[in-house]
Amino acid sequence: MPETITDPFADIDPFSAVTHPDPYPYYRELAATRPFFREQRLGLWIAAGSSEVAAVLAHPDCRVRPPAQPVPPALAGTAAGDLFGRLIRMNDGAAHAPLKALLMPMLAAVAPGVAAQKAAAMAQVLDAGEGAHVAMPAASVNRWLFALPVVTVAAVLGLPVARDHGTAVEVAQQVAAFAAAQSPLADADTVRAGAEAARWLGTWLASSLASSVAADGPLSALQHAAQAAGIDAQAVAANIIGLLVQACEATAGLAGNTLLWLGRNPSASGMPLQGVVARVAQDDPPVQNTRRFLAADTQLCGHAVKAGDTVLVLLAAASTSGLADDARAWTFGQGRHACPGDRLAQALAGATVAALCARGADPAALARAFRYRPSQNARIPHFL
Ligand code: HEM
């Protein structure tokens, strides 16, 4: 009988890897044997080797959006589309650079200890909505993962979320609704809810900026610097909302994956939490891939690629061979669009896990019953 060779990775592809129970052997294999290739079935180029991932992120013709489609078609023409179109995260235009130059130092100036203190204070605001429990139920853990990092970023920026439980919860829910609408998997209802959320957030931010932001806080300084640099006030407002949105899903994933790691490694419970978070960012990263769109025919990693082609950049595959150049975890990207919130995100994830454990969340129990939320790029556990 002929020997049958079974492909150990037959049940996994670069999209299903994101929510696969253990995609890392597959990513390692890709990085080692197929660091840059055309995936015919998905109609995409795949970058998996760390040098190839770095080369794609550094290439001037590799853009964060298809040049002819600055806003995803499902969002175009809605309030969510308007907001999306102003985000530096999704822009390679000249408008992106000056605003990013202001946001980077603002985020870098947030000391991790200050973020942790704010998170502890915001956890007390969220407490008001919880009943008395001995062990925190999974549904509450899921809610907190999506709420605490977001409202903490808002509080760090000086936005009025600390006054009452209702405002904090509403802001977190609206941010999550807008974030969810950006997924390629979003259905019509999710997109509609995202457009409503974008409108709500725009109104809330405008009234907050007009009345309740501290004159000596980071947002006043940002607004003044932006005005001096001739940056449109609407772009500034959109990007303030953008910071809350960026803090939402990925940080929920980092905190959730940290809970899983703690649950699976009970003997390491004495390890400093920030060390665990940094390790999880590298070994079980919340953002597993990002995309780039070719703006011109060119050569990329030794292959001829065409304008309009898409490259799926497997950050989590690059991660299997160590940290990125500047010693950051690959999950935070690299190059022109690298995440300016990486340190803040790790502080927020650590503070969120600490707040949950202090309220009786049990990592071992959580790790026994969860699934991953459906996603093509983010690995976020949903506890059952
Ligand atoms: C664990 C949490 C986070 C992860 C894994 C993460 C990851 C990333 C990645 C991969 C990118 C680049 C995307 C690309 O190149 O296509 C990015 C961009 C960005 N992130 Fe984060 N992020 C996180 C949290 C945050 C937080 C908390 C903030 C701010 C409060 C933030 C602000 C931004 C901004 C403004 C950009 C756009 C940068 C640009 O395009 O120039 N992120 N993030």
Side-chain angles (χ1 to χ4, degrees), residues 345-384:
Q346 295 183 70
L348 292 171
T352 300
V353 171
L356 288 170
C357 292
R359 283 158 180 78
D362 173 4
L366 292 169
R368 280 195 292 272
F370 74 98
R371 59 172 173 77
Y372 288 106
R373 301 170 71 92
S375 174
Q376 288 186 345
N377 78 320
R379 185 169 177 84
I380 311 173
H382 176 85
F383 298 107
L384 302 170

PDB file of all heavy atoms in Angstrom, residues 345-384:
ATOM      1  N   ALA A 345      -0.703  50.122  26.113  1.00  0.00           N
ATOM      2  CA  ALA A 345      -1.555  48.933  25.963  1.00  0.00           C
ATOM      3  C   ALA A 345      -1.135  47.844  26.945  1.00  0.00           C
ATOM      4  O   ALA A 345      -1.984  47.176  27.550  1.00  0.00           O
ATOM      5  CB  ALA A 345      -1.464  48.409  24.529  1.00  0.00           C
ATOM      6  N   GLN A 346       0.170  47.667  27.120  1.00  0.00           N
ATOM      7  CA  GLN A 346       0.628  46.612  28.034  1.00  0.00           C
ATOM      8  C   GLN A 346       0.317  46.986  29.483  1.00  0.00           C
ATOM      9  O   GLN A 346      -0.058  46.126  30.294  1.00  0.00           O
ATOM     10  CB  GLN A 346       2.110  46.331  27.813  1.00  0.00           C
ATOM     11  CG  GLN A 346       2.327  45.754  26.414  1.00  0.00           C
ATOM     12  CD  GLN A 346       3.771  45.366  26.113  1.00  0.00           C
ATOM     13  OE1 GLN A 346       4.284  44.415  26.658  1.00  0.00           O
ATOM     14  NE2 GLN A 346       4.402  46.109  25.242  1.00  0.00           N
ATOM     15  N   ALA A 347       0.441  48.279  29.791  1.00  0.00           N
ATOM     16  CA  ALA A 347       0.075  48.716  31.154  1.00  0.00           C
ATOM     17  C   ALA A 347      -1.421  48.501  31.383  1.00  0.00           C
ATOM     18  O   ALA A 347      -1.847  48.021  32.450  1.00  0.00           O
ATOM     19  CB  ALA A 347       0.445  50.191  31.341  1.00  0.00           C
ATOM     20  N   LEU A 348      -2.241  48.832  30.365  1.00  0.00           N
ATOM     21  CA  LEU A 348      -3.696  48.684  30.497  1.00  0.00           C
ATOM     22  C   LEU A 348      -4.081  47.211  30.647  1.00  0.00           C
ATOM     23  O   LEU A 348      -4.949  46.862  31.463  1.00  0.00           O
ATOM     24  CB  LEU A 348      -4.406  49.240  29.261  1.00  0.00           C
ATOM     25  CG  LEU A 348      -4.345  50.752  29.042  1.00  0.00           C
ATOM     26  CD1 LEU A 348      -4.907  51.099  27.664  1.00  0.00           C
ATOM     27  CD2 LEU A 348      -5.108  51.484  30.134  1.00  0.00           C
ATOM     28  N   ALA A 349      -3.448  46.352  29.863  1.00  0.00           N
ATOM     29  CA  ALA A 349      -3.782  44.919  29.934  1.00  0.00           C
ATOM     30  C   ALA A 349      -3.424  44.379  31.318  1.00  0.00           C
ATOM     31  O   ALA A 349      -4.218  43.647  31.939  1.00  0.00           O
ATOM     32  CB  ALA A 349      -3.052  44.154  28.836  1.00  0.00           C
ATOM     33  N   GLY A 350      -2.243  44.756  31.827  1.00  0.00           N
ATOM     34  CA  GLY A 350      -1.833  44.287  33.157  1.00  0.00           C
ATOM     35  C   GLY A 350      -2.804  44.777  34.216  1.00  0.00           C
ATOM     36  O   GLY A 350      -3.248  44.015  35.092  1.00  0.00           O
ATOM     37  N   ALA A 351      -3.173  46.059  34.130  1.00  0.00           N
ATOM     38  CA  ALA A 351      -4.078  46.637  35.131  1.00  0.00           C
ATOM     39  C   ALA A 351      -5.458  45.994  35.048  1.00  0.00           C
ATOM     40  O   ALA A 351      -6.132  45.795  36.070  1.00  0.00           O
ATOM     41  CB  ALA A 351      -4.177  48.147  34.920  1.00  0.00           C
ATOM     42  N   THR A 352      -5.884  45.650  33.839  1.00  0.00           N
ATOM     43  CA  THR A 352      -7.204  45.016  33.669  1.00  0.00           C
ATOM     44  C   THR A 352      -7.200  43.615  34.284  1.00  0.00           C
ATOM     45  O   THR A 352      -8.130  43.242  35.018  1.00  0.00           O
ATOM     46  CB  THR A 352      -7.574  44.972  32.170  1.00  0.00           C
ATOM     47  OG1 THR A 352      -7.607  46.313  31.682  1.00  0.00           O
ATOM     48  CG2 THR A 352      -8.923  44.314  31.930  1.00  0.00           C
ATOM     49  N   VAL A 353      -6.137  42.858  34.021  1.00  0.00           N
ATOM     50  CA  VAL A 353      -6.045  41.511  34.610  1.00  0.00           C
ATOM     51  C   VAL A 353      -5.992  41.617  36.136  1.00  0.00           C
ATOM     52  O   VAL A 353      -6.672  40.866  36.852  1.00  0.00           O
ATOM     53  CB  VAL A 353      -4.811  40.760  34.048  1.00  0.00           C
ATOM     54  CG1 VAL A 353      -4.568  39.466  34.809  1.00  0.00           C
ATOM     55  CG2 VAL A 353      -5.015  40.474  32.560  1.00  0.00           C
ATOM     56  N   ALA A 354      -5.223  42.569  36.642  1.00  0.00           N
ATOM     57  CA  ALA A 354      -5.121  42.729  38.103  1.00  0.00           C
ATOM     58  C   ALA A 354      -6.487  43.066  38.693  1.00  0.00           C
ATOM     59  O   ALA A 354      -6.894  42.495  39.718  1.00  0.00           O
ATOM     60  CB  ALA A 354      -4.097  43.821  38.441  1.00  0.00           C
ATOM     61  N   ALA A 355      -7.210  43.985  38.036  1.00  0.00           N
ATOM     62  CA  ALA A 355      -8.530  44.389  38.561  1.00  0.00           C
ATOM     63  C   ALA A 355      -9.490  43.191  38.549  1.00  0.00           C
ATOM     64  O   ALA A 355     -10.259  42.986  39.495  1.00  0.00           O
ATOM     65  CB  ALA A 355      -9.107  45.530  37.713  1.00  0.00           C
ATOM     66  N   LEU A 356      -9.433  42.392  37.485  1.00  0.00           N
ATOM     67  CA  LEU A 356     -10.340  41.241  37.386  1.00  0.00           C
ATOM     68  C   LEU A 356     -10.005  40.206  38.462  1.00  0.00           C
ATOM     69  O   LEU A 356     -10.906  39.677  39.132  1.00  0.00           O
ATOM     70  CB  LEU A 356     -10.260  40.622  35.988  1.00  0.00           C
ATOM     71  CG  LEU A 356     -10.907  41.466  34.883  1.00  0.00           C
ATOM     72  CD1 LEU A 356     -10.571  40.910  33.504  1.00  0.00           C
ATOM     73  CD2 LEU A 356     -12.429  41.506  35.076  1.00  0.00           C
ATOM     74  N   CYS A 357      -8.716  39.911  38.620  1.00  0.00           N
ATOM     75  CA  CYS A 357      -8.335  38.897  39.619  1.00  0.00           C
ATOM     76  C   CYS A 357      -8.691  39.379  41.023  1.00  0.00           C
ATOM     77  O   CYS A 357      -9.150  38.596  41.863  1.00  0.00           O
ATOM     78  CB  CYS A 357      -6.852  38.544  39.501  1.00  0.00           C
ATOM     79  SG  CYS A 357      -6.492  37.670  37.947  1.00  0.00           S
ATOM     80  N   ALA A 358      -8.535  40.684  41.262  1.00  0.00           N
ATOM     81  CA  ALA A 358      -8.887  41.233  42.583  1.00  0.00           C
ATOM     82  C   ALA A 358     -10.386  41.109  42.846  1.00  0.00           C
ATOM     83  O   ALA A 358     -10.830  41.135  43.996  1.00  0.00           O
ATOM     84  CB  ALA A 358      -8.460  42.700  42.673  1.00  0.00           C
ATOM     85  N   ARG A 359     -11.181  40.970  41.794  1.00  0.00           N
ATOM     86  CA  ARG A 359     -12.640  40.839  41.944  1.00  0.00           C
ATOM     87  C   ARG A 359     -13.097  39.390  41.811  1.00  0.00           C
ATOM     88  O   ARG A 359     -14.264  39.111  41.551  1.00  0.00           O
ATOM     89  CB  ARG A 359     -13.349  41.723  40.920  1.00  0.00           C
ATOM     90  CG  ARG A 359     -13.301  43.184  41.356  1.00  0.00           C
ATOM     91  CD  ARG A 359     -13.497  44.139  40.214  1.00  0.00           C
ATOM     92  NE  ARG A 359     -13.436  45.511  40.720  1.00  0.00           N
ATOM     93  CZ  ARG A 359     -12.292  46.138  41.009  1.00  0.00           C
ATOM     94  NH1 ARG A 359     -11.125  45.536  40.854  1.00  0.00           N
ATOM     95  NH2 ARG A 359     -12.321  47.375  41.487  1.00  0.00           N
ATOM     96  N   GLY A 360     -12.148  38.476  41.941  1.00  0.00           N
ATOM     97  CA  GLY A 360     -12.526  37.070  42.010  1.00  0.00           C
ATOM     98  C   GLY A 360     -12.551  36.340  40.685  1.00  0.00           C
ATOM     99  O   GLY A 360     -13.005  35.202  40.610  1.00  0.00           O
ATOM    100  N   ALA A 361     -12.068  36.977  39.589  1.00  0.00           N
ATOM    101  CA  ALA A 361     -11.960  36.213  38.337  1.00  0.00           C
ATOM    102  C   ALA A 361     -10.912  35.126  38.552  1.00  0.00           C
ATOM    103  O   ALA A 361      -9.847  35.389  39.125  1.00  0.00           O
ATOM    104  CB  ALA A 361     -11.545  37.137  37.190  1.00  0.00           C
ATOM    105  N   ASP A 362     -11.214  33.909  38.104  1.00  0.00           N
ATOM    106  CA  ASP A 362     -10.313  32.776  38.341  1.00  0.00           C
ATOM    107  C   ASP A 362      -9.755  32.294  36.998  1.00  0.00           C
ATOM    108  O   ASP A 362     -10.459  31.628  36.234  1.00  0.00           O
ATOM    109  CB  ASP A 362     -11.122  31.666  39.040  1.00  0.00           C
ATOM    110  CG  ASP A 362     -10.318  30.384  39.181  1.00  0.00           C
ATOM    111  OD1 ASP A 362      -9.114  30.371  38.804  1.00  0.00           O
ATOM    112  OD2 ASP A 362     -10.899  29.392  39.646  1.00  0.00           O
ATOM    113  N   PRO A 363      -8.475  32.646  36.700  1.00  0.00           N
ATOM    114  CA  PRO A 363      -7.922  32.301  35.382  1.00  0.00           C
ATOM    115  C   PRO A 363      -8.041  30.817  35.056  1.00  0.00           C
ATOM    116  O   PRO A 363      -8.357  30.467  33.908  1.00  0.00           O
ATOM    117  CB  PRO A 363      -6.456  32.741  35.483  1.00  0.00           C
ATOM    118  CG  PRO A 363      -6.471  33.836  36.506  1.00  0.00           C
ATOM    119  CD  PRO A 363      -7.529  33.451  37.495  1.00  0.00           C
ATOM    120  N   ALA A 364      -7.830  29.937  36.037  1.00  0.00           N
ATOM    121  CA  ALA A 364      -7.877  28.490  35.738  1.00  0.00           C
ATOM    122  C   ALA A 364      -9.277  28.097  35.276  1.00  0.00           C
ATOM    123  O   ALA A 364      -9.442  27.351  34.306  1.00  0.00           O
ATOM    124  CB  ALA A 364      -7.454  27.692  36.970  1.00  0.00           C
ATOM    125  N   ALA A 365     -10.300  28.623  35.965  1.00  0.00           N
ATOM    126  CA  ALA A 365     -11.680  28.301  35.575  1.00  0.00           C
ATOM    127  C   ALA A 365     -11.986  28.909  34.218  1.00  0.00           C
ATOM    128  O   ALA A 365     -12.611  28.271  33.356  1.00  0.00           O
ATOM    129  CB  ALA A 365     -12.655  28.828  36.632  1.00  0.00           C
ATOM    130  N   LEU A 366     -11.534  30.136  33.974  1.00  0.00           N
ATOM    131  CA  LEU A 366     -11.801  30.796  32.689  1.00  0.00           C
ATOM    132  C   LEU A 366     -11.162  30.016  31.541  1.00  0.00           C
ATOM    133  O   LEU A 366     -11.762  29.856  30.477  1.00  0.00           O
ATOM    134  CB  LEU A 366     -11.269  32.235  32.705  1.00  0.00           C
ATOM    135  CG  LEU A 366     -11.997  33.203  33.655  1.00  0.00           C
ATOM    136  CD1 LEU A 366     -11.212  34.512  33.779  1.00  0.00           C
ATOM    137  CD2 LEU A 366     -13.418  33.477  33.172  1.00  0.00           C
ATOM    138  N   ALA A 367      -9.932  29.520  31.765  1.00  0.00           N
ATOM    139  CA  ALA A 367      -9.209  28.815  30.694  1.00  0.00           C
ATOM    140  C   ALA A 367      -9.855  27.470  30.364  1.00  0.00           C
ATOM    141  O   ALA A 367      -9.569  26.887  29.319  1.00  0.00           O
ATOM    142  CB  ALA A 367      -7.746  28.622  31.096  1.00  0.00           C
ATOM    143  N   ARG A 368     -10.736  26.977  31.243  1.00  0.00           N
ATOM    144  CA  ARG A 368     -11.399  25.693  30.971  1.00  0.00           C
ATOM    145  C   ARG A 368     -12.590  25.839  30.021  1.00  0.00           C
ATOM    146  O   ARG A 368     -13.013  24.858  29.418  1.00  0.00           O
ATOM    147  CB  ARG A 368     -11.860  25.042  32.282  1.00  0.00           C
ATOM    148  CG  ARG A 368     -10.720  24.324  33.013  1.00  0.00           C
ATOM    149  CD  ARG A 368     -11.254  23.398  34.098  1.00  0.00           C
ATOM    150  NE  ARG A 368     -11.874  24.128  35.203  1.00  0.00           N
ATOM    151  CZ  ARG A 368     -11.217  24.586  36.259  1.00  0.00           C
ATOM    152  NH1 ARG A 368      -9.916  24.386  36.368  1.00  0.00           N
ATOM    153  NH2 ARG A 368     -11.844  25.242  37.220  1.00  0.00           N
ATOM    154  N   ALA A 369     -13.153  27.047  29.889  1.00  0.00           N
ATOM    155  CA  ALA A 369     -14.342  27.196  29.041  1.00  0.00           C
ATOM    156  C   ALA A 369     -14.321  28.551  28.322  1.00  0.00           C
ATOM    157  O   ALA A 369     -14.678  29.570  28.911  1.00  0.00           O
ATOM    158  CB  ALA A 369     -15.607  27.077  29.891  1.00  0.00           C
ATOM    159  N   PHE A 370     -13.859  28.523  27.090  1.00  0.00           N
ATOM    160  CA  PHE A 370     -13.857  29.760  26.296  1.00  0.00           C
ATOM    161  C   PHE A 370     -13.851  29.379  24.828  1.00  0.00           C
ATOM    162  O   PHE A 370     -13.590  28.233  24.467  1.00  0.00           O
ATOM    163  CB  PHE A 370     -12.617  30.619  26.619  1.00  0.00           C
ATOM    164  CG  PHE A 370     -11.352  30.056  26.039  1.00  0.00           C
ATOM    165  CD1 PHE A 370     -10.845  30.537  24.836  1.00  0.00           C
ATOM    166  CD2 PHE A 370     -10.685  29.008  26.658  1.00  0.00           C
ATOM    167  CE1 PHE A 370      -9.690  29.996  24.273  1.00  0.00           C
ATOM    168  CE2 PHE A 370      -9.535  28.463  26.104  1.00  0.00           C
ATOM    169  CZ  PHE A 370      -9.040  28.949  24.923  1.00  0.00           C
ATOM    170  N   ARG A 371     -14.190  30.336  23.980  1.00  0.00           N
ATOM    171  CA  ARG A 371     -13.939  30.204  22.541  1.00  0.00           C
ATOM    172  C   ARG A 371     -13.307  31.510  22.100  1.00  0.00           C
ATOM    173  O   ARG A 371     -13.293  32.475  22.872  1.00  0.00           O
ATOM    174  CB  ARG A 371     -15.254  29.940  21.794  1.00  0.00           C
ATOM    175  CG  ARG A 371     -16.290  31.037  21.983  1.00  0.00           C
ATOM    176  CD  ARG A 371     -17.507  30.842  21.084  1.00  0.00           C
ATOM    177  NE  ARG A 371     -18.558  31.790  21.380  1.00  0.00           N
ATOM    178  CZ  ARG A 371     -18.575  33.078  21.009  1.00  0.00           C
ATOM    179  NH1 ARG A 371     -17.564  33.595  20.327  1.00  0.00           N
ATOM    180  NH2 ARG A 371     -19.581  33.874  21.321  1.00  0.00           N
ATOM    181  N   TYR A 372     -12.788  31.550  20.871  1.00  0.00           N
ATOM    182  CA  TYR A 372     -12.302  32.841  20.380  1.00  0.00           C
ATOM    183  C   TYR A 372     -13.414  33.548  19.641  1.00  0.00           C
ATOM    184  O   TYR A 372     -14.239  32.910  18.975  1.00  0.00           O
ATOM    185  CB  TYR A 372     -11.085  32.645  19.467  1.00  0.00           C
ATOM    186  CG  TYR A 372      -9.848  32.243  20.248  1.00  0.00           C
ATOM    187  CD1 TYR A 372      -9.368  30.948  20.219  1.00  0.00           C
ATOM    188  CD2 TYR A 372      -9.195  33.167  21.057  1.00  0.00           C
ATOM    189  CE1 TYR A 372      -8.258  30.574  20.961  1.00  0.00           C
ATOM    190  CE2 TYR A 372      -8.088  32.810  21.807  1.00  0.00           C
ATOM    191  CZ  TYR A 372      -7.631  31.516  21.759  1.00  0.00           C
ATOM    192  OH  TYR A 372      -6.534  31.163  22.500  1.00  0.00           O
ATOM    193  N   ARG A 373     -13.449  34.871  19.772  1.00  0.00           N
ATOM    194  CA  ARG A 373     -14.450  35.650  19.039  1.00  0.00           C
ATOM    195  C   ARG A 373     -14.127  35.572  17.548  1.00  0.00           C
ATOM    196  O   ARG A 373     -12.957  35.640  17.175  1.00  0.00           O
ATOM    197  CB  ARG A 373     -14.407  37.117  19.500  1.00  0.00           C
ATOM    198  CG  ARG A 373     -14.664  37.283  20.977  1.00  0.00           C
ATOM    199  CD  ARG A 373     -14.383  38.697  21.416  1.00  0.00           C
ATOM    200  NE  ARG A 373     -15.390  39.605  20.911  1.00  0.00           N
ATOM    201  CZ  ARG A 373     -16.494  39.942  21.577  1.00  0.00           C
ATOM    202  NH1 ARG A 373     -16.696  39.478  22.789  1.00  0.00           N
ATOM    203  NH2 ARG A 373     -17.362  40.744  21.051  1.00  0.00           N
ATOM    204  N   PRO A 374     -15.159  35.438  16.694  1.00  0.00           N
ATOM    205  CA  PRO A 374     -14.877  35.343  15.254  1.00  0.00           C
ATOM    206  C   PRO A 374     -14.109  36.583  14.782  1.00  0.00           C
ATOM    207  O   PRO A 374     -14.524  37.704  15.075  1.00  0.00           O
ATOM    208  CB  PRO A 374     -16.271  35.309  14.610  1.00  0.00           C
ATOM    209  CG  PRO A 374     -17.216  34.983  15.716  1.00  0.00           C
ATOM    210  CD  PRO A 374     -16.584  35.420  16.997  1.00  0.00           C
ATOM    211  N   SER A 375     -12.975  36.390  14.136  1.00  0.00           N
ATOM    212  CA  SER A 375     -12.194  37.528  13.642  1.00  0.00           C
ATOM    213  C   SER A 375     -11.174  37.035  12.643  1.00  0.00           C
ATOM    214  O   SER A 375     -10.691  35.905  12.739  1.00  0.00           O
ATOM    215  CB  SER A 375     -11.471  38.230  14.799  1.00  0.00           C
ATOM    216  OG  SER A 375     -10.619  39.236  14.284  1.00  0.00           O
ATOM    217  N   GLN A 376     -10.824  37.887  11.672  1.00  0.00           N
ATOM    218  CA  GLN A 376      -9.768  37.530  10.718  1.00  0.00           C
ATOM    219  C   GLN A 376      -8.418  38.099  11.116  1.00  0.00           C
ATOM    220  O   GLN A 376      -7.428  37.897  10.421  1.00  0.00           O
ATOM    221  CB  GLN A 376     -10.137  38.037   9.317  1.00  0.00           C
ATOM    222  CG  GLN A 376     -11.264  37.244   8.709  1.00  0.00           C
ATOM    223  CD  GLN A 376     -11.539  37.646   7.275  1.00  0.00           C
ATOM    224  OE1 GLN A 376     -11.092  38.693   6.811  1.00  0.00           O
ATOM    225  NE2 GLN A 376     -12.287  36.819   6.567  1.00  0.00           N
ATOM    226  N   ASN A 377      -8.365  38.880  12.203  1.00  0.00           N
ATOM    227  CA  ASN A 377      -7.034  39.373  12.579  1.00  0.00           C
ATOM    228  C   ASN A 377      -6.770  39.459  14.082  1.00  0.00           C
ATOM    229  O   ASN A 377      -5.625  39.529  14.495  1.00  0.00           O
ATOM    230  CB  ASN A 377      -6.748  40.729  11.927  1.00  0.00           C
ATOM    231  CG  ASN A 377      -7.447  41.862  12.626  1.00  0.00           C
ATOM    232  OD1 ASN A 377      -8.595  41.736  13.037  1.00  0.00           O
ATOM    233  ND2 ASN A 377      -6.750  42.964  12.792  1.00  0.00           N
ATOM    234  N   ALA A 378      -7.845  39.417  14.901  1.00  0.00           N
ATOM    235  CA  ALA A 378      -7.613  39.585  16.340  1.00  0.00           C
ATOM    236  C   ALA A 378      -7.945  38.294  17.086  1.00  0.00           C
ATOM    237  O   ALA A 378      -8.954  37.646  16.808  1.00  0.00           O
ATOM    238  CB  ALA A 378      -8.464  40.725  16.872  1.00  0.00           C
ATOM    239  N   ARG A 379      -7.084  37.938  18.017  1.00  0.00           N
ATOM    240  CA  ARG A 379      -7.264  36.716  18.809  1.00  0.00           C
ATOM    241  C   ARG A 379      -7.752  37.147  20.191  1.00  0.00           C
ATOM    242  O   ARG A 379      -6.963  37.571  21.049  1.00  0.00           O
ATOM    243  CB  ARG A 379      -5.915  36.007  18.884  1.00  0.00           C
ATOM    244  CG  ARG A 379      -5.915  34.646  19.561  1.00  0.00           C
ATOM    245  CD  ARG A 379      -4.569  33.995  19.301  1.00  0.00           C
ATOM    246  NE  ARG A 379      -4.384  32.723  19.933  1.00  0.00           N
ATOM    247  CZ  ARG A 379      -4.813  31.551  19.425  1.00  0.00           C
ATOM    248  NH1 ARG A 379      -5.471  31.529  18.285  1.00  0.00           N
ATOM    249  NH2 ARG A 379      -4.569  30.424  20.062  1.00  0.00           N
ATOM    250  N   ILE A 380      -9.070  37.089  20.377  1.00  0.00           N
ATOM    251  CA  ILE A 380      -9.687  37.601  21.607  1.00  0.00           C
ATOM    252  C   ILE A 380     -10.567  36.514  22.205  1.00  0.00           C
ATOM    253  O   ILE A 380     -11.562  36.114  21.593  1.00  0.00           O
ATOM    254  CB  ILE A 380     -10.570  38.839  21.316  1.00  0.00           C
ATOM    255  CG1 ILE A 380      -9.818  39.867  20.471  1.00  0.00           C
ATOM    256  CG2 ILE A 380     -11.072  39.454  22.621  1.00  0.00           C
ATOM    257  CD1 ILE A 380     -10.678  41.038  20.016  1.00  0.00           C
ATOM    258  N   PRO A 381     -10.223  36.023  23.399  1.00  0.00           N
ATOM    259  CA  PRO A 381     -11.077  34.978  23.979  1.00  0.00           C
ATOM    260  C   PRO A 381     -12.403  35.539  24.475  1.00  0.00           C
ATOM    261  O   PRO A 381     -12.487  36.695  24.903  1.00  0.00           O
ATOM    262  CB  PRO A 381     -10.245  34.441  25.154  1.00  0.00           C
ATOM    263  CG  PRO A 381      -9.285  35.533  25.497  1.00  0.00           C
ATOM    264  CD  PRO A 381      -9.074  36.351  24.246  1.00  0.00           C
ATOM    265  N   HIS A 382     -13.428  34.708  24.345  1.00  0.00           N
ATOM    266  CA  HIS A 382     -14.742  35.020  24.915  1.00  0.00           C
ATOM    267  C   HIS A 382     -14.995  33.908  25.925  1.00  0.00           C
ATOM    268  O   HIS A 382     -15.093  32.740  25.550  1.00  0.00           O
ATOM    269  CB  HIS A 382     -15.791  35.019  23.805  1.00  0.00           C
ATOM    270  CG  HIS A 382     -17.182  35.242  24.311  1.00  0.00           C
ATOM    271  ND1 HIS A 382     -17.705  36.492  24.521  1.00  0.00           N
ATOM    272  CD2 HIS A 382     -18.141  34.360  24.693  1.00  0.00           C
ATOM    273  CE1 HIS A 382     -18.940  36.379  24.988  1.00  0.00           C
ATOM    274  NE2 HIS A 382     -19.223  35.098  25.106  1.00  0.00           N
ATOM    275  N   PHE A 383     -15.078  34.270  27.205  1.00  0.00           N
ATOM    276  CA  PHE A 383     -15.185  33.250  28.254  1.00  0.00           C
ATOM    277  C   PHE A 383     -16.629  32.806  28.414  1.00  0.00           C
ATOM    278  O   PHE A 383     -17.557  33.614  28.303  1.00  0.00           O
ATOM    279  CB  PHE A 383     -14.583  33.790  29.553  1.00  0.00           C
ATOM    280  CG  PHE A 383     -13.108  34.099  29.404  1.00  0.00           C
ATOM    281  CD1 PHE A 383     -12.652  35.415  29.352  1.00  0.00           C
ATOM    282  CD2 PHE A 383     -12.190  33.075  29.253  1.00  0.00           C
ATOM    283  CE1 PHE A 383     -11.304  35.699  29.169  1.00  0.00           C
ATOM    284  CE2 PHE A 383     -10.832  33.346  29.077  1.00  0.00           C
ATOM    285  CZ  PHE A 383     -10.393  34.655  29.036  1.00  0.00           C
ATOM    286  N   LEU A 384     -16.816  31.499  28.659  1.00  0.00           N
ATOM    287  CA  LEU A 384     -18.170  30.920  28.670  1.00  0.00           C
ATOM    288  C   LEU A 384     -18.633  30.620  30.094  1.00  0.00           C
ATOM    289  O   LEU A 384     -17.845  30.397  30.973  1.00  0.00           O
ATOM    290  CB  LEU A 384     -18.168  29.621  27.847  1.00  0.00           C
ATOM    291  CG  LEU A 384     -17.711  29.803  26.397  1.00  0.00           C
ATOM    292  CD1 LEU A 384     -17.496  28.447  25.731  1.00  0.00           C
ATOM    293  CD2 LEU A 384     -18.733  30.624  25.610  1.00  0.00           C
TER     294      LEU A 384
END
